[in-house]
Amino acid sequence: LSESGVPQLVQPMIWDYTADLDVEGKVHLIEKYRRCGFSKVWFASAFKGATGVNQSLTLIGHHLQNHLRWLAVASSSPADVLEGIVLTGWQRYDHFSVLCELLPVAIPSLAVCLQALKNGGYSEKIKENVEKLLGMSNLEIDTFMR
């Protein structure tokens, strides 16, 4: 890869939507990319549409945990390596499936994930801020929103 010149032309994107993302494994992967000559990498997360083929409601806690793990990867990596993070929101789990988790039911998840990334973590104060922004009295993270 180093000799091909590809690392000067592209930036790799590391995709992982799991709530228990392997932080140490991702840090090692970034180190491998750096040794190949890639100076920057991107992370790809999801705020909806990545947890099951027939998912109709968004479990915010799953996506929040994924983003918190990506923050841990970023803080465990060299400061100059991360170019950005892409928050994906899939409409279909795969190309052969019906629609899942339509955007309206996922807006609270998007708001929580964006605030967690913006603030470098998640706390009760951030939860209250999201509730205020969305006009909600009780944002449920670990159960499906009622």
Side-chain angles (χ1 to χ4, degrees):
L1 271 174
S2 299
E3 294 173 11
S4 72
V6 169
Q8 287 69 46
L9 301 173
V10 300
Q11 296 174 340
M13 184 173 295
I14 304 170
W15 301 73
D16 196 326
Y17 305 143
T18 58
D20 61 348
L21 180 150
D22 177 8
V23 173
E24 186 177 316
K26 295 295 184 261
V27 171
H28 289 306
L29 182 59
I30 291 166
E31 290 169 1
K32 287 180 182 181
Y33 281 130
R34 298 276 290 216
R35 285 194 303 270
C36 290
F38 293 98
S39 60
K40 299 283 186 180
V41 298
W42 289 78
F43 299 159
S45 65
F47 70 92
K48 75 173 199 77
T51 56
V53 67
N54 61 353
Q55 194 76 31
S56 59
L57 299 173
T58 305
L59 187 56
I60 298 170
H62 172 93
H63 299 289
L64 173 59
Q65 287 305 313
N66 176 255
H67 286 89
L68 295 176
R69 302 290 282 185
W70 276 121
L71 286 171
V73 173
S75 68
S76 299
S77 301
D80 63 340
V81 72
L82 179 60
E83 186 70 13
I85 184 166
V86 176
L87 279 76
T88 64
W90 297 99
Q91 277 307 127
R92 284 187 167 83
Y93 192 72
D94 63 45
H95 294 291
F96 304 106
S97 300
V98 298
L99 295 176
C100 65
E101 295 180 67
L102 299 178
L103 182 59
V105 300
I107 288 175
S109 180
L110 176 59
V112 165
C113 294
L114 286 171
Q115 287 297 308
L117 292 174
K118 178 183 174 189
N119 292 285
Y122 192 74
S123 66
E124 188 63 29
K125 182 178 179 187
I126 293 169
K127 178 182 181 246
E128 291 169 4
N129 186 39
V130 171
E131 288 172 338
K132 183 178 176 184
L133 288 169
L134 297 176
M136 301 175 73
S137 60
N138 185 28
L139 180 63
E140 298 175 29
I141 301 294
D142 296 317
T143 61
F144 292 108
M145 295 292 297
R146 285 182 256 137

